[in-house]
């Protein structure tokens, strides 16, 4: 039975200023309050440099915030942890000397999950993302799309409460990107995990998310919070993309960000 997910993700006054010696401080993210309910699919959009990646790194526990705190359920985030799986735009976070399966197993090894259980989890996640056939290959033998699938499998292997993705499909060709978008939507439905997706693509946000948060230019602050509630929500992505309601909503949202890129 799948464990019920009850851990809300709460950002309590989280903000960040980069300080390095001899340079003017850069306020990347203004104090941000945000509550993301367990099971929501939230997209964060905003102009380049507005602090989206900074925010995601803070939630991942990879970067301590200059102020504020992040809570997952009752627990304060103080570092990386199994309950938060992370997927980056670049697959350079995959270890080149490990096989695909070896990469997916990594977090489970660190958590000392017994070998048999680990193998079971790895096989299940590789099958979910369609990589069962290449389990024993080196990661550098995979295409960009397959490497992103491997990152997603690695993040899911620990059965996280929250899946954090930073422009995961940004470097892929359109065809591969659209396939992976569809797969991510399926994964979210199947697993019920909370998803926090950073993207510069308004279309991607509206297509996938149940809620889109819009950030202002740097220092980023929340300027829009939209529930996505299309009547034809469950249609295939190709149909949805052509739906007038979808197109109109995406155009309004894009205009509110003040950018013309999709
Ligand atoms: P986004 O992901 O929205 O494009 P980032 O979070 O990457 O934005 O960056 C926000 C701002 O912080 C940008 O102005 C960026 O140049 C600056 N920044 C990011 N990382 C660092 C760093 N390590 N040191 C100094 N400034 C940084
Ligand atoms: Mg970024």
């Amino acid at each position: 039975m799948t464990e019920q997910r009850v851990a809300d993700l709460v950002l309590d006054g989280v903000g960040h200023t980069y300080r390095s010696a001899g340079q003017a401080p850069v306020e990347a993210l203004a104090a941000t309050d945000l509550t993301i309910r367990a099971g929501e699919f939230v997209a964060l959009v905003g102009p380049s440099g507005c602090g989206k990646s900074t925010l995601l790194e803070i939630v991942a526990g990879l970067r301590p915030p200059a102020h504020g705190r992040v809570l997952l359920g009752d627990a304060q985030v103080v570092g990386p942890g199994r309950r938060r799986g992370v997927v980056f735009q670049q697959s350079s976070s995959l270890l080149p000397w490990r096989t695909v399966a070896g990469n997916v197993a990594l977090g489970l090894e660190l958590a000392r999950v017994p070998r048999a259980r680990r193998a079971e989890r790895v096989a299940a996640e590789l099958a979910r993302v369609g990589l069962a056939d290449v389990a024993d290959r080196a990661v550098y033998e995979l295409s960009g799309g397959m490497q992103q699938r491997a990152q997603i499998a690695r993040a899911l292997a620990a059965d996280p409460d929250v899946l954090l993705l930073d422009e995961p499909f940004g470097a892929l060709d359109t065809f591969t990107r659209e396939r992976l978008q569809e797969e991510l939507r399926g994964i979210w439905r199947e697993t019920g995990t909370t998803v926090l997706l950073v993207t510069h693509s308004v279309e991607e946000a509206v297509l996938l998310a149940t809620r889109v948060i819009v950030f202002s230019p740097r220092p980023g602050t929340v300027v829009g919070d939209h529930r996505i509630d299309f009547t034809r929500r469950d249609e295939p992505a190709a149909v949805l993309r052509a739906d007038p309601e979808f197109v109109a909503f995406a155009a309004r949202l894009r205009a509110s960000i003040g950018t013309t890129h999709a």
Side-chain angles (χ1 to χ4, degrees), residues 135-209:
D136 298 324
R137 300 265 284 275
V139 287
Y140 52 78
E141 293 180 72
L142 305 186
S143 67
M146 290 162 106
Q147 291 183 350
Q148 292 312 80
R149 287 196 174 97
Q151 277 204 70
I152 293 171
R154 181 179 61 182
L156 291 174
D159 193 23
D161 292 323
V162 184
L163 186 58
L164 304 164
L165 307 104
D166 192 355
E167 312 242 14
F169 313 136
L172 304 175
D173 62 88
T174 309
F175 178 73
T176 308
R177 178 163 62 238
E178 290 182 0
R179 272 196 62 172
L180 280 168
Q181 286 171 342
E182 197 90 39
E183 288 176 21
L184 179 59
R185 194 150 76 136
I187 285 167
W188 171 68
R189 288 217 174 101
E190 248 174 62
T191 60
T193 187
T194 309
V195 175
L196 190 51
L197 169 74
V198 165
T199 176
H200 66 269
S201 166
V202 170
E203 186 194 67
E204 181 169 283
V206 179
L207 191 63
L208 298 178

